[in-house]
Amino acid sequence: MTLIPAGTEVSFITTYLEMRTRPDFDVPALPDDTRLEQALRPPVWFFLAVYDAVGRDYEWRDRFQQEIDDPDALRAFVESPDVEMWVAYRHGWPQGFFILDWTEPGECDLAYFGMVPEDVGHGLGGTLLKAAIARAWAREDMKMMSVNTCELDHPRALALYQKHGFVPVDTETRTRVLHRDRDPSRLPA
């Protein structure tokens, strides 16, 4: 198989989704060997380590560039009292994470969500997504939850969000220069 080399510019579609109705489920129970823990005032290096572990195969590079261009803004995001980072641990190491951003009153953006490659496809992702949704909607003033995903993300990401109640509201075509060699079957046609 011939890989598309790093440095190649690719076009992809980003889909924006919203959930405007409180779901009818509570925070789900995780498997017995898994715990969900909030990272309280995490250092930037910890955020970037988990962000990289989950997103490296999906071209998640924006926050690394922000660390170079505007490290104060990155630190402000990670340390904001309106931003919560939750990490799922199994066997002593992160399996996945999510970040809830309540910067806008009455709204919660699921800013990041994902699983490490070793745990993709083992069933924890749906439970972790439900936990993120339930935690977001636990706030009394919640009116809307948002998330976005793109064609560079996991191929089942969009369907997973829709399965759990998010509705597409907009799309946008973007381009990105690949940071890593990429399997052409994992790129948009």
Side-chain angles (χ1 to χ4, degrees):
M1 166 181 49
T2 303
L3 296 176
I4 297 175
T8 302
E9 185 174 30
V10 296
S11 178
F12 61 93
I13 295 173
T14 297
T15 301
Y16 299 90
L17 302 102
E18 293 179 354
M19 179 186 296
R20 293 189 172 271
T21 305
R22 186 177 303 273
D24 62 356
F25 55 81
D26 294 321
V27 177
L30 295 172
D32 289 340
D33 61 351
T34 305
R35 75 182 194 283
L36 183 61
E37 190 171 321
Q38 184 178 0
L40 301 173
R41 291 189 47 109
V44 170
W45 67 261
F46 179 75
F47 163 72
L48 288 174
V50 177
Y51 171 87
D52 184 53
V54 169
R56 96 175 36 174
D57 291 341
Y58 309 116
E59 296 294 326
W60 290 13
R61 303 295 312 156
D62 300 0
R63 293 300 183 164
F64 289 108
Q65 190 61 49
Q66 186 179 32
E67 182 184 34
I68 294 166
D69 296 341
D70 195 350
D72 291 337
L74 177 59
R75 186 173 45 260
F77 170 76
V78 172
E79 295 178 356
S80 171
D82 293 323
V83 173
E84 292 183 2
M85 180 176 182
W86 292 84
V87 182
Y89 292 91
R90 185 183 316 178
H91 309 301
W93 49 279
Q95 302 293 300
F97 84 123
F98 60 85
I99 291 187
L100 302 174
D101 180 348
W102 282 284
T103 304
E104 294 296 321
E107 298 180 11
C108 181
D109 182 49
L110 180 56
Y112 295 100
F113 170 81
M115 307 303 297
V116 298
E118 296 84 356
D119 205 48
V120 170
H122 296 279
L124 183 58
T127 302
L128 190 60
L129 179 58
K130 276 182 133 175
I133 293 167
R135 288 190 185 281
W137 283 97
R139 288 204 175 181
E140 292 298 319
D141 64 340
M142 273 287 292
K143 295 179 181 73
M144 191 266 288
M145 187 172 186
S146 61
V147 69
N148 71 72
T149 187
C150 75
E151 292 177 316
L152 298 177
D153 285 340
H154 191 281
R156 292 190 309 262
L158 179 59
L160 182 67
Y161 292 132
Q162 290 176 296
K163 176 183 175 183
H164 287 84
F166 287 95
V167 176
V169 294
D170 199 7
T171 60
E172 177 181 21
T173 301
R174 296 181 176 182
T175 61
R176 171 157 295 185
V177 175
L178 296 178
H179 181 73
R180 299 168 52 120
D181 293 347
R182 185 105 179 200
D183 177 345
S185 70
R186 305 253 343 256
L187 286 174

